[in-house]
Amino acid sequence: MAEYKDHQFSFQYPDIARIENVEGSPDNEKWFNIVYPQYNATIFCTYIPVTPETLRNALDDSYQLAYSHASIADAIKQVNFTNELHNTSGIIYEIKGSVATPIQFFVTDSLSNFFRGSLYYDQKVNKDSIAPVTQFIREDIIHLMESLEWGSTK
């Protein structure tokens, strides 16, 4: 496993993937991608500093982005996530069917940090042919969520 460190957060990700920073993110936000070249897949990631007042908007946006695929998805399953050791909680949205983004997720401390990601394939997908890769990357996402630690935002 490799480790990504920023002053606001850190997490582990697999050695077979690489991090690509995205230019032009709004002030205080951080945009980057976790790219899996051999699978033509990318996890698009966003870190947003939040307040208890702005957290609701971030949660609503995450929900809306996941459920915007409801019309073409076979089903959407929400799996709750909690890690008391790192003071994090979140949801993994598993979007079933032939969709370009079969997994979306977020992690937050409910106070000042919000991290979200969306797995996308860079090609037209067939749910049966990508199922093993999606399951493999899902395990990487769970590890990312479990290893995510908040840093100093000062």
Side-chain angles (χ1 to χ4, degrees), residues 20 30 46 51 56 64 74 78 83 91 136 146 151 153:
E20 292 181 352
K30 182 161 186 70
T46 304
T51 64
R56 180 86 252 150
Q64 293 299 327
D74 296 338
Q78 288 185 204
N83 184 331
I91 294 176
F136 176 78
E146 290 173 342
T153 56

Side-chain angles (χ1 to χ4, degrees), residues 118-131:
S118 298
L119 169 63
Y120 278 86
Y121 286 97
D122 303 328
Q123 61 200 21
K124 185 171 171 43
V125 297
N126 175 310
K127 67 182 176 182
D128 296 329
S129 63
I130 64 161

Side-chain angles (χ1 to χ4, degrees), residues 31-47:
W31 296 350
F32 62 94
N33 302 325
I34 303 171
V35 179
Y36 290 79
Q38 66 274 45
Y39 300 127
N40 292 321
T42 303
I43 303 171
F44 293 89
C45 299
T46 304
Y47 167 82

Side-chain angles (χ1 to χ4, degrees), residues 82-139:
T82 303
N83 184 331
E84 292 180 14
L85 178 66
H86 294 165
N87 189 33
T88 58
S89 62
I91 294 176
I92 300 173
Y93 298 98
E94 297 177 6
I95 305 167
K96 307 293 184 185
S98 293
V99 294
T101 177
I103 300 174
Q104 296 189 29
F105 66 96
F106 73 83
V107 180
T108 184
D109 62 1
S110 299
L111 297 172
S112 57
N113 298 290
F114 187 86
F115 183 100
R116 78 171 311 276
S118 298
L119 169 63
Y120 278 86
Y121 286 97
D122 303 328
Q123 61 200 21
K124 185 171 171 43
V125 297
N126 175 310
K127 67 182 176 182
D128 296 329
S129 63
I130 64 161
V133 173
T134 299
Q135 183 58 35
F136 176 78
I137 295 175
R138 180 185 182 279
E139 296 303 316

Side-chain angles (χ1 to χ4, degrees), residues 19-76:
I19 301 285
E20 292 181 352
N21 289 313
V22 176
E23 299 297 322
S25 58
D27 289 342
N28 298 325
E29 291 186 17
K30 182 161 186 70
W31 296 350
F32 62 94
N33 302 325
I34 303 171
V35 179
Y36 290 79
Q38 66 274 45
Y39 300 127
N40 292 321
T42 303
I43 303 171
F44 293 89
C45 299
T46 304
Y47 167 82
I48 306 169
V50 294
T51 64
E53 295 78 27
T54 61
L55 176 62
R56 180 86 252 150
N57 287 341
L59 293 169
D60 288 345
D61 287 348
S62 187
Y63 177 87
Q64 293 299 327
L65 287 167
Y67 279 87
S68 67
H69 301 279
S71 63
I72 57 172
D74 296 338
I76 299 177

